[in-house]
């Protein structure tokens, strides 16, 4: 399995997710500026993958500028600061940068060694979190093969390997406890139809793609047993920031008494933020809304509201699950 992000001979190597599902291609990034560009255009994305990108980016800067003088250290820290700010909601990116900076004064080799250790532990951590989530879902929805609705992309493309919410789906499929995945297309950039569907098809996991606006109807028609999603930042109380549209799914899942489970790694938890009100939500380029495939689909001058994420209060969440088990519990459910 090709890693979504890796290191090779002095460069960060990523799967360019903007080219999927049409083409599976890797890109070498040899400077922090190139890495920041890739992060901002979503060529690399997903909370755990961005954590790895943060650490590897500091390794790039340390290798290029050195750490032998105060001036060199200041330059590396400045580049690290720019990197950490590339996606303000994604706390894993900042955590990866901070972890690498903690060993910066030990030299470039120490920074790189620590970053590579992050890569090597990612699959283990994701497998543990998704195992807990799969077991929880089986307990919440006993007696049948599950019909699982998911949003955005939380698989191996969003991590170094395996995945979080989609990792739980992999466990269910392997154990023949999965009937079908309903994958929201995830507007406006279609991470569900482009990336999640690509991963599911690649592994022979049964799925259907649906418009985001059809998810409520699917729940009302009894087509969904549970909803499982990832997270980009989790506040101390369990409020969760995830791809825009997640909050609406949680509201509808609560209306239909369906389990709504968030799967993430502990590195996604930001205990410095007491609740969701303190989570900064990134707003993205208006052209993601006003244009489609380069063609304008809204009137010239149309005003745009394009948040990348929304915040789901913990009282709408059945459970937040990490590699250490259930981190937070919100509403009860009757499924």
């Amino acid at each position: 399995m090709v890693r979504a992000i890796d290191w090779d001979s002095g460069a960060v190597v990523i799967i360019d997710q903007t080219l999927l599902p049409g083409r599976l291609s890797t890109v070498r990034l040899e400077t922090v500026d190139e890495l920041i560009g890739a992060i901002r255009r979503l060529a690399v994305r997903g909370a755990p993958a961005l954590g790895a990108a943060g650490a590897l980016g500091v390794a790039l800067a340390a290798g290029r500028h050195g750490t032998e003088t105060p001036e060199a250290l200041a330059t590396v820290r400045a580049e690290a600061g720019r990197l950490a700010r590339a996606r303000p909601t994604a706390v894993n990116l900042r955590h990866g940068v901070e972890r690498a900076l903690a060993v910066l004064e030990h030299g470039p080799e120490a920074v790189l060694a620590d970053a590579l250790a992050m890569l090597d532990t990612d699959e283990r951590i994701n497998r543990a979190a998704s195992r807990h989530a799969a077991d929880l879902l089986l307990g919440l929805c006993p007696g049948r093969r599950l019909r699982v609705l998911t949003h955005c992309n939380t698989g191996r493309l969003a991590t170094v390997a395996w995945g979080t919410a989609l990792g739980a789906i992999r466990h269910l499929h392997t154990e023949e406890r999965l009937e079908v995945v309903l994958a929201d297309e995830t507007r406006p950039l279609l991470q569900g139809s482009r990336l999640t569907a690509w991963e599911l098809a690649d592994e022979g996991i049964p799925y259907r793609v649906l418009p985001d606006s059809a998810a409520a109807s699917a729940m009302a028609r009894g087509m969904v047993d549970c909803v499982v999603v990832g997270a980009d930042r989790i506040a101390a109380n369990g409020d969760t920031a995830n791809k825009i549209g997640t909050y609406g799914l949680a509201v509808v899942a609560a209306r239909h008494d369906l389990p709504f489970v968030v799967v993430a790694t502990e590195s996604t938890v930001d205990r410095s933020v007491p609740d969701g009100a303190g989570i900064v939500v990134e707003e993205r380029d208006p052209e993601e809304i006003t244009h489609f495939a380069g063609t304008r689909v809204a009137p010239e001058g149309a005003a745009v509201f394009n948040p990348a994420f929304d915040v789901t209060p913990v009282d709408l969440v059945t459970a937040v699950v990490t590699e250490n088990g259930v981190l937070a519990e919100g509403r009860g459910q009757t499924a």
Side-chain angles (χ1 to χ4, degrees), residues 137 141 146-150 172 224-228 258-260:
L137 290 171
C141 308
L146 300 186
R147 300 162 301 172
V148 182
L149 189 144
T150 192
L172 295 173
V224 178
D225 296 309
C226 55
V227 181
V228 60
L258 296 175
F260 186 95

Side-chain angles (χ1 to χ4, degrees), residues 136-161:
L136 177 65
L137 290 171
L138 290 171
L140 292 169
C141 308
R144 60 162 294 125
R145 297 194 338 171
L146 300 186
R147 300 162 301 172
V148 182
L149 189 144
T150 192
H151 191 66
C152 198
N153 173 260
T154 56
R156 68 183 197 253
L157 292 170
T159 63
V160 178

Side-chain angles (χ1 to χ4, degrees), residues 158-197:
T159 63
V160 178
W162 188 253
T164 53
L166 203 56
I169 289 170
R170 286 195 168 91
H171 284 299
L172 295 173
H173 174 67
T174 300
E175 295 157 14
E176 299 184 348
R177 299 299 302 274
L178 179 75
E179 181 175 318
V180 69
V181 180
L182 295 179
D184 276 351
E185 60 180 349
T186 316
R187 291 183 178 273
L189 298 180
L190 307 178
Q191 293 98 328
S193 58
R194 291 191 307 106
L195 306 179
T196 296

Side-chain angles (χ1 to χ4, degrees), residues 45 47 89 150-154 164-165 186 228-234 239-247 249 260 262-263 268 279 281 307-312:
R45 43 148 296 282
T89 307
T150 192
H151 191 66
C152 198
N153 173 260
T154 56
T164 53
T186 316
V228 60
V229 299
D232 288 86
R233 184 177 295 203
I234 300 169
D239 291 351
T240 301
N242 192 49
K243 182 57 58 185
I244 188 70
T246 303
Y247 173 46
L249 289 179
F260 186 95
V262 176
V263 191
T268 308
I279 297 176
V281 174
F309 308 98
D310 54 26
V311 177
T312 300

Side-chain angles (χ1 to χ4, degrees), residues 224-308:
V224 178
D225 296 309
C226 55
V227 181
V228 60
V229 299
D232 288 86
R233 184 177 295 203
I234 300 169
N237 74 332
D239 291 351
T240 301
N242 192 49
K243 182 57 58 185
I244 188 70
T246 303
Y247 173 46
L249 289 179
V251 171
V252 180
R255 169 67 177 82
H256 294 287
D257 291 323
L258 296 175
F260 186 95
V261 174
V262 176
V263 191
T265 60
E266 285 284 342
S267 59
T268 308
V269 181
D270 186 355
R271 291 184 172 82
S272 72
V273 177
D275 55 43
I279 297 176
V280 176
V281 174
E282 171 191 356
E283 291 201 32
R284 293 187 57 81
D285 189 338
E287 287 199 3
E288 293 177 355
I289 304 298
T290 60
H291 290 69
F292 184 78
T295 300
R296 175 173 286 279
V297 293
E300 190 76 40
V304 170
F305 175 54
N306 186 23

Side-chain angles (χ1 to χ4, degrees), residues 77-115:
R77 290 192 176 103
E79 293 217 320
R82 291 194 299 114
L83 178 60
R85 294 188 293 272
R87 300 281 319 266
T89 307
V91 70
N92 293 67
L93 178 60
R94 189 190 75 203
H95 283 172
V97 168
E98 291 175 348
R99 172 171 165 166
L101 288 176
V103 297
L104 181 62
E105 294 189 2
H106 297 289
E109 295 81 7
V111 175
L112 179 58
D114 196 63

Side-chain angles (χ1 to χ4, degrees), residues 1 3-5 46-53 92 99 115-130 154-164 265 267-268 323:
M1 183 182 293
R3 285 176 165 179
I5 183 166
L50 288 176
N92 293 67
R99 172 171 165 166
L116 294 178
M118 286 184 65
L119 297 179
D120 291 339
T121 59
D122 178 83
E123 182 173 354
R124 175 181 58 80
I125 291 171
N126 280 277
R127 281 182 179 271
S130 58
T154 56
R156 68 183 197 253
L157 292 170
T159 63
V160 178
W162 188 253
T164 53
T265 60
S267 59
T268 308
E323 66 267 30

